[in-house]
Amino acid sequence: MKKIQINEIGEVTLKKSVSAKRLILRISADGQAIVTIPSYVPYLVAEKFARQHTDWFLQHKPNQPQLILNEGKRIGRSHVLMFIPKAVSKVTSRIQAGVIYISFPQGMDILSSAVQDEAKKAAKRALKRQAEMYLPGRLHRLAEKYNYSYSEVRIKTVQTRWGSCSNKKIINLSIWLMQLPDELIEYVLCHELTHLHHMNHQASFWQELSTMVPNFK
């Protein structure tokens, strides 16, 4: 797999597939532009194909509000964004001491797809760091307080749910929890702890959850 940047549409993923018989364009559910190619086709051919079909990507991209990240934007609890124009040829990012630095070529607008895509990727890395440092400890303290036992906690980048609990007592938590206030984070953690005893949302589940979060509604 390879990722490239096309100014008009942002990041494009080039994927090889043994089952693909031709070059295929598609837009994923989250708006990601993807080119799938047969395994024997060089990535250079896929990149040329993508650039020749920018109009197709623009026409099929979901019409949804675009998140714009600006200078000083706070990411989660402890990071802020800083955009730095430099004499460089491509957009890069680094995270240091609570600051997410986005370096980009002089003359390029921070609102361009390439800069915004890099800022969003860096923001996700920062959120993952925060989540890994905060969520497992907070979950452990709540489990001790309310006498729950789980086998493992995993930090995920999923966007479809805040958390989940498997029948193997593995609790999964989303990095996006770090964008929420403390009381909502605690609600999700208590919600998943309750699933250790009730793998459903029947009355008994809500009754037990209410012992930890009386105002859960």
Side-chain angles (χ1 to χ4, degrees):
M1 186 171 66
K2 181 179 179 181
K3 294 181 182 292
I4 62 171
Q5 290 287 338
I6 298 179
N7 286 339
E8 298 92 333
I9 56 179
E11 186 178 85
V12 179
T13 300
L14 311 178
K15 297 176 64 175
K16 290 193 175 186
S17 169
V18 294
S19 60
K21 300 294 189 294
R22 56 189 175 83
L23 282 72
I24 303 169
L25 305 173
R26 71 182 181 91
I27 302 290
S28 68
D30 61 356
Q32 176 66 50
I34 300 172
V35 179
T36 303
I37 58 175
S39 56
Y40 56 83
V41 174
Y43 281 121
L44 191 62
V45 173
E47 180 173 349
K48 183 179 179 181
F49 187 71
R51 295 186 185 281
Q52 289 174 339
H53 291 83
T54 54
D55 287 346
W56 185 93
F57 285 120
L58 291 173
Q59 290 171 8
H60 291 81
K61 203 165 186 178
N63 291 321
Q64 56 187 14
Q66 293 297 309
L67 172 65
I68 301 299
L69 297 179
N70 293 310
E71 180 81 13
K73 173 74 173 178
R74 179 164 289 280
I75 303 299
R77 291 166 167 260
S78 55
H79 288 81
V80 293
L81 276 167
M82 182 176 292
F83 293 85
I84 308 173
K86 283 187 174 182
V88 294
S89 60
K90 64 178 183 178
V91 186
T92 59
S93 62
R94 64 186 174 91
I95 304 171
Q96 183 178 352
V99 181
I100 304 168
Y101 296 96
I102 309 298
S103 301
F104 59 96
Q106 294 173 340
M108 183 178 283
D109 195 312
I110 70 168
L111 298 179
S112 69
S113 295
V115 176
Q116 286 292 308
D117 285 348
E118 186 64 31
K120 290 169 186 175
K121 287 191 292 183
K124 286 174 71 174
R125 294 202 308 273
L127 284 176
K128 190 169 190 294
R129 290 186 187 182
Q130 293 179 43
E132 288 172 343
M133 292 180 64
Y134 178 78
L135 295 176
R138 186 69 185 123
L139 182 69
H140 176 72
R141 289 190 293 274
L142 287 168
E144 280 197 328
K145 180 179 179 180
Y146 295 110
N147 198 28
Y148 285 93
S149 177
Y150 54 90
S151 62
E152 186 181 351
V153 57
R154 298 174 182 175
I155 306 301
K156 302 284 191 176
T157 57
V158 294
Q159 300 184 70
T160 54
R161 58 180 64 188
W162 296 109
S164 64
C165 178
S166 75
N167 54 16
K168 295 182 179 180
K169 296 191 174 184
I170 297 173
I171 292 180
N172 299 296
L173 300 171
S174 171
I175 64 170
W176 303 103
L177 286 168
M178 302 312 298
Q179 292 286 87
L180 298 181
D182 286 348
E183 64 268 22
L184 293 183
I185 293 177
E186 184 157 325
Y187 166 78
V188 173
L189 300 186
C190 291
H191 186 110
E192 300 311 329
L193 287 173
T194 308
H195 276 311
L196 293 167
H197 294 168
H198 306 277
M199 296 299 291
N200 54 57
H201 289 118
Q202 295 178 3
S204 55
F205 170 90
W206 299 110
Q207 183 177 0
E208 183 169 325
L209 177 59
S210 70
T211 64
M212 293 183 284
V213 189
N215 62 336
F216 71 87
K217 287 186 179 181

